[in-house]
Amino acid sequence: MAGEVVVDALPYFDHGYDEPGVREAAIALVEEETRRYRPTKNYLDYLPPPNYNAFETEMMKNEFERLQARLPMEMMNMKRYELPTPTAGKMTDISAWTECLENSQAQLEHQALRILNLDLMQEYGASAWKMYNGVLSQMLDQAQKQLQDLRKKIQEINWQRKNEQSVAGSKLEQLESSWVGLVSKNYEIERACAEVEKEIQEIQQRQGKR
């Protein structure tokens, strides 16, 4: 395959990484390759333009505009909680008093609902919170179990790599030892052949003189 790089390093088996000059040589190789690397002007051209407003709600948009304009935050409108009486000109107006009465009834209902919610929270809030904490604890246990499984898989992969590299390293040592032995034998055979050829030449020379 074109451009394929074969990595022949066996970090679990090889030695000598801590020797002087090895780290400097590796850094020099990286810097040399970096000088040959010519990145494009914009390597993100193939991606669509980002939509920064995809998750922006109308309320968020208004708040961002307020912050950009450096305007103060609008105070909470408490008018709906007020119980104003009719104005001086409408003190005898039945419809004005009716509106004030409906407003007060709505306020009373709202406060009654708040009291009901507080009573419910006081009675069931602790149990609901315990259930919520239980769900969080269960989620935490699941996340920790996933983390342990991932760490176990990583460890198994590392052990597998170490075992494969140790086997490959031992085989390489055997092959290297065999290669050294064959080279030595070939050298001995070549030397013996040279000595035999020399003896033959001497014999031929002695026979030629007779």
Side-chain angles (χ1 to χ4, degrees):
M1 180 182 293
E4 184 179 359
V5 178
V6 179
V7 180
D8 58 353
L10 300 177
Y12 284 101
F13 185 82
D14 294 337
H15 304 284
Y17 292 108
D18 297 331
E19 294 182 359
V22 174
R23 178 179 176 83
E24 290 74 10
I27 294 176
L29 290 173
V30 173
E31 291 178 350
E32 192 274 334
E33 184 174 356
T34 304
R35 285 193 296 269
R36 290 188 286 108
Y37 173 69
R38 293 292 182 269
T40 57
K41 186 175 181 180
N42 185 4
Y43 60 92
L44 301 178
D45 283 338
Y46 69 97
L47 294 176
N51 183 11
Y52 297 106
N53 302 325
F55 303 98
E56 184 177 306
T57 62
E58 190 66 26
M59 182 180 297
M60 294 173 60
K61 182 179 179 181
N62 295 335
E63 186 64 14
F64 290 149
E65 291 177 354
R66 182 191 66 80
L67 292 174
Q68 188 174 6
R70 298 182 180 276
L71 297 175
M73 181 181 293
E74 184 179 355
M75 301 300 294
M76 182 179 293
N77 188 2
M78 304 295 293
K79 187 175 181 180
R80 63 186 300 267
Y81 299 105
E82 297 176 357
L83 296 174
T85 58
T87 59
K90 295 184 178 180
M91 296 298 291
T92 59
D93 189 354
I94 297 179
S95 61
W97 282 102
T98 302
E99 183 179 353
C100 292
L101 179 62
E102 292 177 350
N103 182 30
S104 62
Q105 289 176 345
Q107 294 294 337
L108 288 174
E109 187 66 25
H110 174 68
Q111 297 300 329
L113 182 60
R114 293 183 64 183
I115 293 173
L116 178 61
N117 288 332
L118 289 175
D119 291 338
L120 291 173
M121 182 180 295
Q122 185 175 3
E123 184 174 357
Y124 302 106
S127 300
W129 188 254
K130 289 180 180 179
M131 292 179 61
Y132 175 69
N133 288 337
V135 173
L136 290 180
S137 299
Q138 185 178 2
M139 293 173 63
L140 177 61
D141 294 339
Q142 292 178 354
Q144 289 180 343
K145 185 178 183 303
Q146 291 178 356
L147 178 61
Q148 292 176 357
D149 292 341
L150 288 175
R151 287 178 175 174
K152 183 178 179 181
K153 290 180 180 179
I154 292 173
Q155 186 176 6
E156 290 176 353
I157 291 174
N158 288 334
W159 278 111
Q160 182 180 358
R161 291 177 59 201
K162 183 176 182 180
N163 182 50
E164 291 176 352
Q165 292 184 17
S166 298
V167 173
S170 299
K171 187 174 182 179
L172 287 174
E173 282 187 343
Q174 294 175 0
L175 293 174
E176 184 179 5
S177 177
S178 177
W179 176 80
V180 171
L182 292 174
V183 169
S184 300
K185 288 182 180 179
N186 288 337
Y187 175 75
E188 293 175 359
I189 292 173
E190 289 178 356
R191 187 176 61 179
C193 290
E195 291 178 356
V196 170
E197 289 178 355
K198 183 178 179 181
E199 292 178 359
I200 292 175
Q201 289 179 358
E202 291 177 353
I203 293 173
Q204 290 177 349
Q205 288 177 358
R206 286 198 296 269
Q207 289 179 351
K209 292 179 180 179
R210 294 178 180 177

